[in-house]
């Protein structure tokens, strides 16, 4: 399985527009891994996870072609993950395609929004539910419940293929017990997990800071979901987390956690 992190920023990216936080200023001055577009990933160049407002830029930057996608899977409907207007470019009159080359998977809110926005368009939309695995193109995909966006059925995803298992965990929060229970004994080869709040602890429990991240990883370790051989990579970093890429590496690398960055590729 080849995993490519297309974006690793929080809702407003880094540097954030209209922001003078230290991290935004640092990113403007230094560029490199501190520039974080809105979180998204693609597996084996065919399974696209989320379709946010930076998708065009991410594909151009990486030399990727959206025509390779067989599926677009949505975690939830927040604007940084679901840029519904961008879907129109998949079809005529923007090109010659009468049908999109990809199937769309999303929760009820996503499905309804697409049907209302494109009533006459032939998008194939499949509704997804937490803890109900489905098959697509040789992959078994299981949405699982995060503690995020509780007004809808938000998802994290487990991907399984060729004896490998990968957990994509954004946006996450500290999981509910039933999610930890579901994950028990399911060993992951790789976990990509949010660390939105970095070094800043807030009362909001729909995102993880560094402390919460350790808490979640400790439970996953106790559960048998991760072990010393599991690759752990962070994503969905906010400028409000007061942590540059380097500072995150100093804090997390000693614990065997890699800090994700835009364009990072992972092979499992
Ligand atoms: Zn988000």
């Amino acid at each position: 399985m080849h995993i490519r992190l297309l974006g690793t920023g929080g809702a407003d990216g880094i540097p954030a527009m209209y922001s003078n936080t230290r991290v935004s200023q640092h990113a403007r001055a230094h560029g490199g891994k501190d520039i974080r577009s809105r979180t998204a990933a693609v597996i084996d160049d065919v399974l696209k996870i989320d379709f946010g407002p930076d998708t065009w830029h991410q594909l151009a930057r990486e030399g990727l072609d959206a025509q390779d996608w067989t599926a677009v899977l949505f975690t939830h409907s927040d604007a940084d993950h679901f840029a519904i207007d961008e879907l129109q470019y998949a079809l005529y009159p923007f090109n010659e395609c009468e049908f999109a080359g990809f199937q769309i998977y999303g929760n009820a809110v996503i499905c309804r929004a697409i049907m209302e926005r494109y009533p006459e368009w032939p998008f194939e939309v499949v509704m997804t539910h937490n803890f109900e695995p489905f098959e697509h193109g040789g992959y078994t995909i299981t949405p699982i419940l995060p503690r995020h966006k509780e007004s809808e059925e938000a998802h994290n995803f487990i991907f399984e293929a060729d004896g490998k298992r990968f957990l994509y965990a954004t946006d996450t929060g500290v999981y509910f017990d039933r999610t930890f229970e579901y994950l028990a004994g399911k060993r992951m080869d790789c976990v990509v997990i949010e660390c939105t709040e970095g070094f800043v602890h807030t009362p909001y429990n729909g995102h993880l800071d560094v402390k919460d991240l350790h808490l979640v990883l400790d439970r996953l370790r106790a559960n048998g979901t991760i072990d010393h051989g599991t690759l752990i990579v962070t994503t969905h970093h906010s400028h409000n987390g007061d942590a540059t890429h380097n500072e995150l590496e100093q804090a997390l690398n000693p614990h065997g956690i890699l800090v994700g960055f835009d364009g990072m590729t992972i092979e499992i």
Side-chain angles (χ1 to χ4, degrees):
M1 217 182 276
H2 177 83
I3 301 152
R4 192 189 297 258
L5 303 187
L6 294 172
T8 57
D12 41 359
I14 301 180
M17 292 190 287
Y18 322 111
S19 161
N20 273 326
T21 55
R22 184 181 69 87
V23 171
S24 289
Q25 290 182 22
H26 180 88
R28 286 190 195 104
H30 299 279
K33 292 177 181 173
D34 279 293
I35 303 287
R36 297 185 186 276
S37 60
R38 266 61 74 88
T39 288
V42 62
I43 298 176
D44 296 331
D45 290 339
V46 297
L47 301 184
K48 179 72 176 66
I49 314 174
D50 285 330
F51 194 142
D54 298 328
T55 305
W56 178 91
H57 163 77
Q58 293 165 344
L59 296 181
R61 186 194 68 210
E62 300 296 320
L64 297 176
D65 188 345
Q67 293 175 97
D68 293 335
W69 300 345
T70 64
V72 174
L73 304 114
F74 287 104
T75 57
H76 62 301
S77 70
D78 280 349
D80 52 323
H81 300 263
F82 183 48
I84 187 169
D85 285 333
E86 300 284 314
L87 286 172
Q88 65 186 303
Y89 305 123
L91 289 169
Y92 182 85
F94 296 101
N95 54 42
E96 296 304 314
C97 298
E98 289 182 30
F99 297 94
F102 51 85
Q103 189 129 33
I104 297 172
Y105 295 92
N107 66 24
V109 170
I110 300 271
C111 291
R112 196 179 321 117
I114 291 172
M115 282 185 271
E116 282 171 7
R117 172 70 176 77
Y118 301 106
E120 306 291 332
W121 292 46
F123 284 121
E124 285 180 59
V125 183
V126 177
M127 199 183 297
T128 46
H129 297 286
N130 284 323
F131 309 118
E132 292 184 14
F134 58 91
E135 302 284 327
H136 176 96
Y139 301 84
T140 302
I141 303 166
T142 309
I144 63 167
L145 174 70
R147 189 191 291 264
H148 186 84
K149 189 88 172 167
E150 291 177 58
S151 56
E152 64 184 70
E153 195 177 347
H155 300 325
N156 289 179
F157 286 112
I158 301 169
F159 297 90
E160 293 168 274
D162 304 325
K164 300 288 182 183
R165 202 183 267 139
F166 164 49
L167 172 61
Y168 187 75
T170 178
D171 307 36
T172 302
V174 176
Y175 284 144
F176 298 104
D177 284 347
R178 57 187 154 139
T179 301
F180 282 116
E181 282 157 21
Y182 185 84
L183 287 168
K186 293 185 173 64
R187 183 193 174 270
M188 300 294 157
D189 295 284
C190 176
V191 175
V192 170
I193 185 164
E194 66 139 309
C195 188
T196 308
E197 296 178 341
F199 299 144
V200 177
H201 188 71
T202 73
Y204 177 59
N205 64 8
H207 277 307
L208 303 179
D209 56 42
V210 165
K211 209 164 130 246
D212 293 335
L213 174 66
H214 286 306
L215 198 137
V216 170
L217 293 177
D218 285 348
R219 273 197 75 175
L220 292 177
R221 208 168 282 119
N223 245 354
T225 307
I226 61 173
D227 60 27
H228 60 276
T230 303
L231 208 53
I232 313 282
V233 181
T234 63
T235 190
H236 206 280
H237 295 281
S238 166
H239 63 109
N240 286 320
D242 198 28
T244 66
H245 183 85
N246 259 340
E247 291 162 355
L248 283 166
E249 284 197 323
Q250 281 168 26
L252 297 177
N253 287 358
H255 299 275
I257 303 167
L258 300 177
V259 179
F261 55 90
D262 286 24
M264 185 181 195
T265 58
I266 301 159
E267 207 73 50
I268 57 170

